Amino acid sequence: MTPRVATGIGDRLLDRALTTAVARAGAPARIRFTERQLYYEMCRVLRPLHTVPRRIPLTPAPPVRYERFEEALRRRREAGKGEVPGLLEPLPSGPSAGSFAGSFAGSDVGRSGSPSAGPFAGASSAGSHVGPSAGASVGPTAVRRTPEEPDLYAYGLPRLLVCQSRAVARMLLANDIHLEAACPVLAADGLPLDPRLVAGLGRVEGATVHVLHDASTAGIALTARVRADVAGVADVAGVPGGSGVPGVPGVPGVRVASMGLVPRHAAALHLVSPHGPAPGPEDGRALPSALEPRERDWLADGRFAEVEAVPPARLLRTVLRVLRGPRTPGQSLWTGLRELRTAGFMTWPTD
């Protein structure tokens, strides 16, 4: 097969931009990333508006179509340059069939992680197997078969991460976020959650379910869906698709929090924001009241920003920081001196 040769200034420019994007996407420590993350990195190379100060809100349109990016990636492979280091292979299609135990099944989850089937299709498409072990998937589905470690469900679970995109969940697993944060990473394609998983959250005071979603009407509404599921509510007014497990009561005291994205995050980070179909009136009613009017107008115009538009390194740092929570101040010479001064260092007791 004869490799396709780049013709025209456009193709040569895209090939050079792709080479730069490959080096940036995996920096600084051989990060593994999805194909769509590489596409957005290429967009930042072609239009470096991310260097503009954050006080200037921007959500630029993509400078190049995704089809042109795929052509450049195909030319790179046909030119004999080998596989892109750190690029995860596309997700295999198949029914979601996994377990909570699978989210802790080690860091080698296979080289997978393609772009989502379409921007903001609500919950992602069907789940798939993750890694070499059977039953290791990223879907938060009720367990379809007995897990290898059934006693895991007998413990308390302080935190849980639910991702709208199955590809993002696979990327986080591939970079060992579930091990560094001691937190299961699941995809939202298999809601409702397993009742035993929800019960584990209820055993820990202050347990939190974090929801990582796109800045879109479907993504922002996902938090309410997860909240309704944890509460054990079959249907919640204004929450399309909200579902719980019939006959299983909800667990009080479990907090469900949105990690983002929302439109103001996309504007502050200068994320590439394509246009899509305008949402319907029902989608607008499902949006939380905390959104600002300009954010609602942005969404009503059919704009959206995917989580994969965030640079991979920044995404990993942010998710890890939120999951770990606030850090405890470390001990140092200066903190020790402050404590001694407060305690009355080199002074005699008055009594």
Side-chain angles (χ1 to χ4, degrees):
M1 179 176 176
T2 304
R4 177 182 173 184
V5 180
T7 58
I9 186 66
D11 285 352
R12 289 197 294 269
L13 177 62
L14 291 181
D15 292 345
R16 294 181 61 182
L18 178 60
T19 301
T20 304
V22 169
R24 291 184 181 180
R30 293 181 295 180
I31 294 174
R32 303 179 71 179
F33 49 88
T34 68
E35 188 174 291
R36 199 160 187 87
Q37 286 178 314
L38 181 59
Y39 162 68
Y40 283 117
E41 192 64 50
M42 182 176 176
C43 291
R44 284 187 288 272
V45 173
L46 294 171
R47 186 179 293 170
L49 294 179
H50 61 285
T51 59
V52 178
R54 294 184 60 179
R55 63 177 179 273
I56 303 176
L58 290 174
T59 51
V64 61
R65 299 193 309 273
Y66 194 81
E67 292 77 13
R68 296 288 308 280
F69 160 76
E70 289 181 315
E71 291 176 2
L73 189 60
R74 191 179 308 114
R75 286 195 301 269
R76 175 189 172 91
R77 289 167 174 166
E78 292 175 353
K81 295 183 179 180
E83 294 295 328
V84 176
L87 180 62
L88 300 170
E89 293 180 359
L91 283 166
S93 60
S96 178
S99 69
F100 158 61
S103 61
F104 284 114
S107 60
D108 186 10
V109 296
R111 300 184 63 81
S112 56
S114 67
S116 52
F120 294 78
S124 310
S125 56
S128 66
H129 293 296
V130 184
S133 61
S137 81
V138 296
T141 59
V143 177
R144 312 301 183 192
R145 57 181 177 269
T146 304
E148 296 178 0
E149 299 87 4
D151 59 327
L152 281 178
Y153 294 97
Y155 294 90
L157 184 64
R159 64 189 70 88
L160 174 69
L161 175 60
V162 177
C163 302
Q164 178 188 0
S165 169
R166 186 162 49 102
V168 171
R170 295 287 292 269
M171 179 264 184
L172 296 177
L173 286 170
N175 289 283
D176 297 337
I177 286 292
H178 60 303
L179 299 178
E180 294 190 43
C183 174
V185 179
L186 309 175
D189 58 345
L191 290 174
L193 296 171
D194 188 298
R196 293 173 294 176
L197 186 60
V198 179
L201 291 166
R203 295 189 186 100
V204 179
E205 183 178 358
T208 303
V209 178
H210 300 276
V211 183
L212 180 62
H213 56 78
D214 300 329
S216 70
T217 52
I220 295 174
L222 178 62
T223 302
R225 286 184 54 208
V226 175
R227 184 176 294 114
D229 180 41
V230 172
V233 181
D235 288 301
V236 175
V239 182
S243 62
V245 180
V248 177
V251 178
V254 177
R255 177 173 170 262
V256 179
S258 169
M259 188 180 291
L261 296 167
V262 293
R264 58 179 173 269
H265 295 155
L269 296 174
H270 303 160
L271 299 183
V272 173
S273 172
H275 273 86
E282 295 183 358
D283 297 329
R285 286 194 293 267
L287 296 176
S289 58
L291 288 179
E292 300 176 358
R294 61 181 178 178
E295 293 181 288
R296 294 178 177 272
D297 295 340
W298 188 84
L299 293 170
D301 193 35
R303 303 292 298 276
F304 62 88
E306 297 178 293
V307 171
E308 288 171 292
V310 180
R314 179 185 289 272
L315 176 63
L316 294 175
R317 288 196 306 266
T318 302
V319 170
L320 192 59
R321 183 179 69 250
V322 174
L323 292 179
R324 285 177 171 176
R327 292 185 176 182
T328 304
Q331 292 292 329
S332 67
L333 175 62
W334 298 110
T335 57
L337 290 176
R338 283 195 295 267
E339 292 175 358
L340 290 173
R341 184 176 60 223
T342 305
F345 177 60
M346 292 294 288
T347 60
W348 294 99
T350 56
D351 296 335

